[in-house]
Amino acid sequence: MLRKIGINFYIVLSLFAVYLVNGLIAIQKNSVTYDEMDHWSYGKRILKMQPQKIYPFDDASAMPISGLNAIPRAVEQLLNPDLLKTDGGFSDIMHGRYVTLFICLLTGLFIYRWAKELFGERGGLFSLFLFVVCPNLNAHGALLTTDAYTALLTVTTSFFFWKFIKQSGWKNFLLFSVSLGIAQVTKYSLIHLVFIFAVVTLFVLIKRKTLFSGWKRNLSRLAVLILILLFIINAGYLFNNTGRSIKSFTTQSKTFTLIKESTAGSIPLPLPGPYIEGLDLTMYMNELGAGDPNVSGANYLLGEKRTGSGFWYYYFVVFVFKTPITVLLVLLAAIVFLFVRKKNEGHPSTMLFLLGISFYFLLMLGLTNNVQIGIRHAIMVYPLLYVLAGFLLTLPIVQNKNKFSSAILVIYSIITFYVFFPNLISYTNELIPDKKKACKIMADSNIDYGQGWFALNKYLKSHPDTKLAGEKPETGKIVIGVNDYLDLNNTKRYSWLNQYAPVGHVNFCFLLFDIKSIE
């Protein structure tokens, strides 16, 4: 029976099982992060048929997809109509995390399927392995936020688009359209996918010389795509206040205010009101920028803090330090391969497609996003890069001569993953050997997303001589969160600690000091 099914089938099942076990453990070990309550609150209201943006800054980026995470509480309520919880929603957030975990199994499934089609069974297995030991995808795949969903929707939409370009046909086109539509009710940043695929489509049509010769077919597909996008966006927001003009809204952002004051502001839009309000508020918060008390703490990178604006190279830098070394090496090898490959070797157009989308997000988010608070904003690049990584197993040097090196690469990836597990949010690679100095490179949700309080409380109980930092100077063993130590919120409450160097860390996201005397 084992031979009939094939050993690879069991390897795939085992890898998915490892992913699930890791996630189930991490869900209970990590405390509620800063944004989960906002997403849970909006998801709950979606199930109650209340998609309105009630709390401007909290609801701005909350999306209908979070309604999925509220399903466990809805089931509980149906089974026990008199249920009334008094924990402020924390148990519901924990339960909602399981939804993200299981849905994002699909991310691994699409990575495996796509890489297998491109690079064979071994390539698919290697790509799936990288997904299972990806600290960033696993970290956010066990949270009640929309970040992990962006990774899923980016890879599914890209896969169906690739299938459509390769095989054509309405089936692949409709799957692409639906996936792109769901992406639009997942996170506003995935609007970029619309522009990406529009440009790629135009390029393909021009290359195939069918831009004008096939104009009837092209227009019909465009019409279907628009209708599907509009239907999914409206359905996601329960068709609430669809058909209003911008002039009927109280706008906040400069862009929407300009539209409101123009002729276009009077045109009824086939979009739901909460979608427009959320987009307007998100753009307004981006205009305010990091450092505004209603938005976030200051942007921080390489020891420099900025308020109001970001670093164009932000996501490139955090990508380098938060991506496993093995993945960086494979990515470098793929780029080199594209230059030195033999004719008809590999899949250059698809590899460039995957690299191009990844590079686009890392660059454009750096250029356009003034609230740069973590690699999670660009987490959608990882599934694409893991698909690309499957090419490595097609190289003769890997297949025939370097099996030992491949084994070392796999073992090394596993070890570096579990060094941080279950606090994968704080993961940094070996380019930062001294982990207490990671805060010299980055902060915020790259290291401290509020996930470490369970571990800190456990540490404080077992180390009664250690205490949380206070606002006044004091001697002894002191512990403080990375973001507070860096004073990203500009409160200056713990500025007295700046003259001391940390002697260690707790759970990678808290710094430990041993103050012998007050200077």
Side-chain angles (χ1 to χ4, degrees), residues 384-455:
L384 303 179
L385 295 178
Y386 294 153
V387 171
L388 173 68
F391 95 98
L392 191 69
L393 273 293
T394 66
L395 300 180
I397 190 172
V398 175
Q399 292 179 337
N400 303 324
K401 300 180 180 180
N402 274 333
K403 292 184 179 180
F404 178 74
S405 298
S406 299
I408 294 297
L409 183 147
V410 169
I411 294 172
Y412 181 76
S413 299
I414 293 173
I415 292 173
T416 56
F417 177 88
Y418 283 105
V419 164
F420 281 84
F421 183 82
N423 178 22
L424 296 169
I425 288 175
S426 298
Y427 174 86
T428 55
N429 62 30
E430 290 65 48
L431 294 178
I432 306 177
D434 187 349
K435 299 308 178 184
K436 68 177 180 291
K437 294 183 179 179
C439 64
K440 292 182 178 293
I441 305 295
M442 66 190 86
D444 217 296
S445 63
N446 290 309
I447 297 178
D448 180 7
Y449 198 19
Q451 81 283 359
W453 285 98
F454 288 166

Side-chain angles (χ1 to χ4, degrees), residues 245-316:
S245 65
I246 298 295
K247 280 193 174 180
S248 65
F249 290 93
T250 301
T251 57
Q252 303 292 333
S253 68
K254 294 178 182 178
T255 300
F256 272 75
T257 300
L258 287 173
I259 296 174
K260 182 178 181 178
E261 295 172 352
S262 69
T263 304
S266 301
I267 301 174
L269 299 177
L271 292 168
Y275 175 84
I276 295 173
E277 290 173 334
L279 184 58
D280 174 43
L281 286 167
T282 301
M283 296 176 71
Y284 176 60
M285 291 173 69
N286 193 52
E287 290 171 359
L288 293 175
D292 186 282
N294 290 311
V295 180
S296 73
N299 292 325
Y300 177 84
L301 188 69
L302 300 174
E304 180 184 352
K305 287 192 290 186
R306 290 185 184 178
T307 58
S309 64
F311 306 83
W312 72 265
Y313 47 87
Y314 178 88
Y315 294 100
F316 286 108

Side-chain angles (χ1 to χ4, degrees), residues 324-338:
I325 293 291
T326 51
V327 177
L328 293 178
L329 291 174
V330 172
L331 177 58
L332 179 61
I335 296 172
V336 172
F337 171 77
L338 287 172

Side-chain angles (χ1 to χ4, degrees), residues 154-226:
T154 298
V155 72
T156 57
T157 307
S158 301
F159 173 74
F160 290 128
F161 180 83
W162 174 79
K163 293 283 283 187
F164 170 66
I165 294 299
K166 291 290 183 181
Q167 301 175 5
S168 193
W170 278 100
K171 175 185 175 181
N172 291 320
F173 180 77
L174 291 175
L175 288 171
F176 158 71
S177 301
V178 170
S179 184
L180 184 61
I182 297 174
Q184 304 316 302
V185 294
T186 299
K187 199 160 189 173
Y188 284 117
S189 61
L190 293 190
I191 291 175
H192 285 281
L193 290 178
V194 176
F195 300 117
I196 290 172
F197 293 122
V199 172
V200 176
T201 298
L202 185 61
F203 174 79
V204 171
L205 291 176
I206 292 174
K207 184 177 181 180
R208 293 179 177 178
K209 300 179 180 179
T210 56
L211 179 60
F212 298 109
S213 62
W215 67 272
K216 290 184 179 180
R217 180 178 65 250
N218 297 336
L219 284 179
S220 64
R221 285 173 175 165
L222 178 61
V224 170
L225 173 63
I226 292 173

Side-chain angles (χ1 to χ4, degrees), residues 11-294:
I11 295 175
V12 170
L13 284 184
S14 298
L15 287 172
F16 278 122
V18 170
Y19 164 82
L20 282 177
V21 170
N22 286 338
L24 293 173
I25 294 172
I27 283 173
Q28 295 301 321
K29 293 293 184 179
N30 291 304
S31 53
V32 173
T33 58
Y34 299 138
D35 294 334
E36 286 183 283
M37 187 60 73
D38 294 338
H39 292 290
W40 148 243
S41 173
Y42 192 70
K44 176 181 65 176
R45 281 180 273 138
I46 284 289
L47 293 192
K48 289 183 175 182
M49 312 294 283
Q50 300 169 356
Q52 297 87 352
K53 301 285 185 175
I54 300 173
Y55 310 107
F57 293 102
D58 293 337
D59 287 348
S61 60
M63 301 294 276
I65 196 76
S66 294
L68 296 173
N69 297 95
I71 290 176
R73 173 56 191 272
V75 173
E76 280 188 279
Q77 202 70 46
L78 287 173
L79 295 176
N80 183 7
D82 296 326
L83 178 65
L84 181 63
K85 294 188 177 183
T86 58
D87 63 357
F90 285 93
S91 62
D92 293 328
I93 289 173
M94 288 295 180
H95 296 157
R97 286 176 170 183
Y98 293 108
V99 177
T100 309
L101 177 68
F102 281 92
I103 288 179
C104 287
L105 271 172
L106 293 172
T107 307
L109 182 63
F110 274 90
I111 290 172
Y112 169 69
R113 180 181 173 184
W114 197 352
K116 180 181 176 181
E117 288 193 32
L118 286 169
F119 309 115
E121 184 68 47
R122 295 180 66 188
L125 290 174
F126 181 63
S127 295
L128 178 58
F129 167 77
L130 292 179
F131 162 75
V132 172
V133 296
C134 174
N136 298 297
L137 289 176
N138 280 264
H140 295 281
L143 298 180
L144 199 163
T145 64
T146 58
D147 296 309
Y149 291 142
T150 67
L152 170 62
L153 270 300
T154 298
V155 72
T156 57
T157 307
S158 301
F159 173 74
F160 290 128
F161 180 83
W162 174 79
K163 293 283 283 187
F164 170 66
I165 294 299
K166 291 290 183 181
Q167 301 175 5
S168 193
W170 278 100
K171 175 185 175 181
N172 291 320
F173 180 77
L174 291 175
L175 288 171
F176 158 71
S177 301
V178 170
S179 184
L180 184 61
I182 297 174
Q184 304 316 302
V185 294
T186 299
K187 199 160 189 173
Y188 284 117
S189 61
L190 293 190
I191 291 175
H192 285 281
L193 290 178
V194 176
F195 300 117
I196 290 172
F197 293 122
V199 172
V200 176
T201 298
L202 185 61
F203 174 79
V204 171
L205 291 176
I206 292 174
K207 184 177 181 180
R208 293 179 177 178
K209 300 179 180 179
T210 56
L211 179 60
F212 298 109
S213 62
W215 67 272
K216 290 184 179 180
R217 180 178 65 250
N218 297 336
L219 284 179
S220 64
R221 285 173 175 165
L222 178 61
V224 170
L225 173 63
I226 292 173
L227 288 174
I228 290 175
L229 292 182
L230 290 176
F231 175 79
I232 292 176
I233 294 173
N234 277 281
Y237 288 93
L238 309 174
F239 296 89
N240 183 272
N241 279 325
T242 297
R244 292 173 59 184
S245 65
I246 298 295
K247 280 193 174 180
S248 65
F249 290 93
T250 301
T251 57
Q252 303 292 333
S253 68
K254 294 178 182 178
T255 300
F256 272 75
T257 300
L258 287 173
I259 296 174
K260 182 178 181 178
E261 295 172 352
S262 69
T263 304
S266 301
I267 301 174
L269 299 177
L271 292 168
Y275 175 84
I276 295 173
E277 290 173 334
L279 184 58
D280 174 43
L281 286 167
T282 301
M283 296 176 71
Y284 176 60
M285 291 173 69
N286 193 52
E287 290 171 359
L288 293 175
D292 186 282
N294 290 311

